[in-house]
Amino acid sequence: MSDKKKILVADDDKDLVRSLKTFFESKGYDVATAHNGSEAIARIDESKPDAIVLDIMMDHDSEGFQVAYKLKGDEKFRRIPIIMLTGFAEHIEERYQSFEFIQGPEWPAAKLYQKPVKLQELGVSVERLISEAEALERQLAAV
């Protein structure tokens, strides 16, 4: 049994997925990949990750949001930290009414990064979010 932390990277940009997979594996993570929401859910069901890096716009404009909200609504997966990526922050700003739930208390992601993402910054966020999630799980188990 491996002690490696597991990360799921889900993005329709295959080059970005390969780059992130290589980066996170070099940091000692076990990395699963997906290229759309359906694949992401399947990978999560196969092996629960410790963190998820999730593109907002894959097969359609809000697929990443749909995956994130589905996970946050499931007791088994709701505490997995999700980092969302977007190449279209200006698209979200232009259509703010459509995306106004982003700022609400039900926002499913721990972080949101604009592409191109700085790998070191993303790596630090993933490490911190996994540590915070583990600390929360320990607290909950102690109660």
Side-chain angles (χ1 to χ4, degrees):
M1 185 173 191
S2 174
D3 287 343
K4 285 184 175 184
K5 298 298 178 197
K6 298 176 194 148
I7 297 175
L8 171 67
V9 175
D11 197 302
D12 59 341
D13 180 337
K14 291 180 172 49
D15 291 333
L16 179 61
V17 169
R18 275 192 297 274
S19 294
L20 292 177
K21 180 176 172 57
T22 300
F23 172 75
F24 284 119
E25 286 177 341
S26 76
K27 300 288 185 189
Y29 293 98
D30 183 16
V31 182
T33 62
H35 299 289
N36 60 43
S38 299
E39 286 181 15
I41 294 297
R43 298 296 173 277
I44 292 163
D45 284 338
E46 289 168 8
S47 179
K48 182 180 171 186
D50 296 291
I52 300 168
V53 177
L54 180 64
D55 186 24
I56 291 174
M57 297 173 70
M58 291 181 279
D59 287 346
H60 53 82
D61 279 3
S62 62
E63 186 172 21
F65 286 132
Q66 290 171 352
V67 169
Y69 280 110
K70 180 176 182 168
L71 295 172
K72 291 303 176 185
D74 186 322
E75 182 61 39
K76 183 177 176 187
F77 302 121
R78 73 172 23 140
R79 286 189 280 282
I80 299 171
I82 299 172
I83 296 174
M84 299 198 81
L85 304 179
T86 183
F88 298 98
E90 67 282 352
H91 176 70
I92 291 172
E93 289 169 11
E94 289 168 11
R95 294 179 52 212
Y96 185 76
Q97 296 300 325
S98 301
F99 293 100
E100 66 184 309
F101 59 89
I102 289 172
Q103 300 301 322
E106 299 302 316
W107 172 239
K111 290 291 267 182
L112 173 67
Y113 284 107
Q114 170 73 28
K115 293 179 189 177
V117 63
K118 294 177 182 168
L119 292 179
Q120 294 305 322
E121 188 176 341
L122 180 62
V124 167
S125 288
V126 165
E127 185 176 334
R128 181 181 54 79
L129 291 168
I130 289 174
S131 293
E132 289 173 1
E134 288 175 334
L136 178 61
E137 289 297 326
R138 284 191 299 274
Q139 286 176 345
L140 293 172
V143 173

